[in-house]
Amino acid sequence: MAAAVSIQGLTKTYLDVWTKTEIRAVDRLNLEVEEGEVFGFLGRNGAGKTTTIKMLLGLIFPTEGTATVLGKPIGDIGVKGQISYLPEEAYFYEGMTGWDMLDFYARLFRISEPERSKRIQKALEDVYLDPSAWRRPLRGYSKGMRQRTGIAQALINDPKLLILDEPTSGLDPIAHAELRDIIANVGRQGKTVFLSSHQLPDVELTCSRVAIIHQGKLRTVGKTAELTSGDTVEIVYKGGDAALLEKIRKVVGAGEQSNGLGRVPGVAPKDTNPIVDLIRGAGAEIVSVAPHKRTLEEVFVDTVMKETGS
Amino acid sequence: MVTLAIAKQTLEDMLRRKILLILLIVAVAMIALGPSVGFLSPRESSAVLRSLGLAVILLAGLLITVLTGIQVIPTEIERRTIYTVLSKPVQRYEFVLGKFLGGLFTVFVMLASMGIVFLGVLRYQEGRFSPDMVMGVIMTFFQMMLLGALAIFFSTFATPVVNFFMSFGLFIVGNLSSVTESLLENKNVATRAVATLVHYAIPNFGNFNIQNKLIHPQVVIKNLNMFIMQNVAYAIIYSAVLLILAIIVFDRREV
């Protein structure tokens, strides 16, 4: 599969005019995003996510390195017709109605009537914006409605690649869940989604692959399922006595027993069979042997903490 | 299409600005109340009315042009709407031109509104249509077009506050063209050099001020049509140069 986004050694430095020191916002970043995948781009505030996105869109210029978007160099006008972007906390033209705003953006894509009106209607329907709000000025919209309209403007050109920067930040739980579903829907349509977000549960649910960037450098990249699948198992058994628990603890250093149920977390693959044998040998019954799954939040925190040495 | 879409959006956005509407309302009110100032002889009264009308249109046009020119691009950056525009297949020159044209349309709508009221008041007061005053309003429009291009150019690298003072300052200096012209013959080399630089490098806004010629019949221009055409051509060419410079600067600017 071809790369929708290919980044090689992308670097962006700024000069702090007061201290005369160089700040590396993005540092030799290498990344590939395949076509058709929903890709999560994670990092703390100031990690370099938005700077990377702005370079991909040609809004700012790299100090070093190169990147291609849909096979063309960044800033290529032809490619811009096939991509869309929703910036973090975008402010749209307050006096415009939702419909007029989409009409304006559709004109920027050189979409003529009657196709333009059809696309506007479809985009507004796709984001479930109440039709009674279509002709109302944006200044009267709630934050959730604005974000929906923002996603709609990003869908107006039927893009191959959508770049979304914190699309669900600051939304109430219902609007948040609805918007997450809209993004997942877009992914199911075969479009590539490049999702920068702090909402790790959302990313875990919607993204097939993720990258973690910290202090401008890429720290981890991989399939979400692989990153969150731990390399240990948890064994639960029924029956057994204190002597069994003591033996288990001698092997793996952990374990607990209460109300007739025993639980042994964090069992390494090499210890799994000996522990199972121990339990059976003591006449207890195995209830489950389940792989321990880490949350993306745990992966993120571990990755970032490891890098900061905390 | 893209440039016009940006121009249309800019015009609509500007027409919603309360400060511009207040300026327009105050100016229209002053023009409409002009006849009440005419307490002199009919001839003097007419001159005062014409002078007042053109002066009000110039002053209001000046404020509207500067306030529009210094805002149209920085507001897009401040509101982050520029990200959604420039991430689409929009060339940066289309953006700058669209913003300039939107601002120009705004100034046109404002000047036309004031001009129509002014001509209506004159018609009511004098009982006849005054085509020469239309010429005065048109010259003000081209003067404002040049000022708007200057403000747009500055807005590609300066903050709105700095831009405000730079645009205003150059407008004032550019209106002193008769002074700088007289200094071109000065015996002092340094004075002559500075005068030459100021006279030729700074837009000559003074040439557009034909109020005196229009209001006082004793001031004669040998060929009025040629004079007007030359000034219109000057405004268009100078604005084009400023816009090209604005595009060059903006093309390299990170947003």
Side-chain angles (χ1 to χ4, degrees), chain B residues 79-93:
Chain B
R79 288 192 302 201
R80 302 186 193 192
T81 41
I82 196 165
Y83 298 157
T84 51
V85 174
L86 291 185
S87 61
K88 300 199 166 31
V90 175
Q91 299 276 13
R92 290 195 175 206
Y93 76 84

Side-chain angles (χ1 to χ4, degrees), chain A residues 126-128 148 151 177-187:
Chain A
D126 283 351
V127 297
Y128 309 115
R148 282 165 203 270
I151 302 257
E178 286 177 352
L179 218 62
R180 187 184 60 214
D181 290 345
I182 290 167
I183 294 165
N185 250 335
V186 170

Side-chain angles (χ1 to χ4, degrees), chain A residues 58-273:
Chain A
L59 298 171
I60 58 174
F61 313 114
T63 311
E64 285 171 35
T66 56
T68 59
V69 178
L70 300 176
K72 293 283 169 71
I74 46 181
D76 184 277
I77 285 291
V79 163
K80 283 186 174 182
Q82 300 172 59
I83 64 177
S84 263
Y85 172 50
L86 176 66
E88 183 183 5
E89 294 201 15
Y91 293 90
F92 297 110
Y93 303 102
E94 294 285 298
M96 279 185 170
T97 66
W99 183 282
D100 287 346
M101 189 191 93
L102 293 196
D103 185 76
F104 170 62
Y105 287 118
R107 285 171 191 268
L108 299 186
F109 282 110
R110 296 163 171 82
I111 302 168
S112 310
E113 287 288 17
E115 179 65 17
R116 195 162 63 228
S117 292
K118 280 186 205 163
R119 294 263 191 115
I120 294 169
Q121 183 164 347
K122 185 174 183 308
L124 290 171
E125 285 170 354
D126 283 351
V127 297
Y128 309 115
L129 187 72
D130 186 351
S132 66
W134 292 5
R135 301 285 182 178
R136 287 211 316 261
L138 291 169
R139 72 169 74 87
Y141 281 22
S142 66
K143 179 148 191 183
M145 290 162 78
R146 279 164 196 258
Q147 285 300 83
R148 282 165 203 270
T149 318
I151 302 257
Q153 67 83 29
L155 294 173
I156 199 76
N157 60 325
D158 192 18
K160 282 187 180 170
L161 168 65
L162 258 104
I163 299 175
L164 307 173
D165 197 355
E166 300 289 352
T168 54
S169 71
L171 296 180
D172 67 64
I174 302 293
H176 187 127
E178 286 177 352
L179 218 62
R180 187 184 60 214
D181 290 345
I182 290 167
I183 294 165
N185 250 335
V186 170
R188 280 192 284 275
Q189 289 167 21
K191 298 181 192 303
T192 310
V193 179
F194 189 88
L195 173 65
S196 162
S197 179
H198 285 135
Q199 306 293 332
L200 300 177
D202 289 356
V203 174
E204 196 170 343
L205 279 171
T206 53
C207 297
S208 50
R209 278 203 317 141
V210 296
I212 297 173
I213 180 175
H214 183 61
Q215 292 174 338
K217 287 184 177 168
L218 181 70
R219 307 297 179 170
T220 299
V221 62
K223 290 185 177 170
T224 315
E226 287 173 4
L227 289 174
T228 54
S229 72
D231 51 3
T232 60
V233 295
E234 183 182 78
I235 301 172
V236 178
Y237 61 92
K238 196 157 67 177
D241 52 13
L244 172 62
L245 185 62
E246 195 55 37
K247 286 177 187 169
I248 291 170
R249 281 179 175 166
K250 274 185 183 167
V251 178
V252 294
E256 58 187 33
Q257 210 168 277
S258 61
N259 302 326
L261 275 182
R263 198 176 72 86
V264 191
V267 181
K270 69 176 176 59
D271 295 330
T272 306
N273 282 335

Side-chain angles (χ1 to χ4, degrees), chain B:
Chain B
M1 185 180 177
V2 168
T3 303
L4 285 180
I6 294 169
K8 179 173 172 277
Q9 175 277 320
T10 306
L11 170 67
E12 289 169 356
D13 197 30
M14 283 295 144
L15 292 181
R16 288 189 202 103
R17 300 284 169 109
K18 287 194 179 81
I19 181 74
L20 298 189
L21 292 177
I22 289 169
L23 278 171
L24 178 66
I25 291 166
V26 170
V28 165
M30 286 179 75
I31 293 166
L33 292 172
S36 62
V37 186
F39 48 82
L40 307 166
S41 68
R43 184 186 164 86
E44 287 168 323
S45 170
S46 173
V48 167
L49 187 60
R50 285 160 180 253
S51 186
L52 177 77
L54 287 176
V56 167
I57 290 172
L58 174 66
L59 189 62
L62 171 65
L63 288 170
I64 289 165
T65 305
V66 172
L67 289 176
T68 303
I70 65 171
Q71 282 187 72
V72 286
I73 291 178
T75 305
E76 290 275 341
I77 296 169
E78 188 189 310
R79 288 192 302 201
R80 302 186 193 192
T81 41
I82 196 165
Y83 298 157
T84 51
V85 174
L86 291 185
S87 61
K88 300 199 166 31
V90 175
Q91 299 276 13
R92 290 195 175 206
Y93 76 84
E94 292 174 314
F95 181 77
V96 173
L97 284 181
K99 285 288 152 192
F100 170 72
L101 286 177
L104 192 65
F105 293 159
T106 307
V107 172
F108 176 80
V109 169
M110 298 282 181
L111 288 183
S113 306
M114 290 185 276
I116 289 167
V117 173
F118 177 46
L119 291 172
V121 168
L122 279 181
R123 172 81 174 80
Y124 173 78
Q125 194 69 9
E126 298 173 356
R128 62 185 173 84
F129 179 62
S130 309
D132 53 338
M133 290 297 108
V134 177
M135 205 53 74
V137 178
I138 289 172
M139 289 303 277
T140 304
F141 171 73
F142 281 101
Q143 191 179 31
M144 294 304 119
M145 180 177 95
L146 181 51
L147 179 62
L150 189 69
I152 289 277
F153 168 61
F154 288 144
S155 79
T156 57
F157 59 86
T159 64
V161 175
V162 173
N163 190 351
F164 181 86
F165 288 108
M166 283 163 76
S167 299
F168 249 117
L170 286 187
F171 182 77
I172 291 166
V173 175
N175 262 294
L176 301 173
S177 52
S178 54
V179 176
T180 51
E181 193 171 17
S182 66
L183 290 174
L184 295 178
E185 307 298 325
N186 196 287
K187 287 174 185 168
N188 187 310
V189 179
T191 307
R192 211 163 56 228
V194 172
T196 305
L197 181 74
V198 169
H199 190 73
Y200 290 108
I202 292 175
N204 193 336
F205 290 107
N207 268 0
F208 296 87
N209 297 330
I210 59 167
Q211 288 91 330
N212 265 343
K213 295 131 189 150
L214 294 174
I215 295 160
H216 304 291
Q218 63 273 26
V219 178
V220 177
I221 297 174
K222 282 179 188 167
N223 188 338
L224 184 63
N225 287 340
M226 181 58 75
F227 177 77
I228 288 167
M229 278 172 61
Q230 278 177 346
N231 278 312
V232 168
Y234 176 81
I236 291 170
I237 292 167
Y238 210 123
S239 297
V241 171
L242 286 170
L243 287 175
I244 289 167
L245 291 175
I247 288 165
I248 291 169
V249 175
F250 192 68
D251 208 40
R252 287 156 177 73
R253 180 171 173 178
E254 300 196 325
V255 293

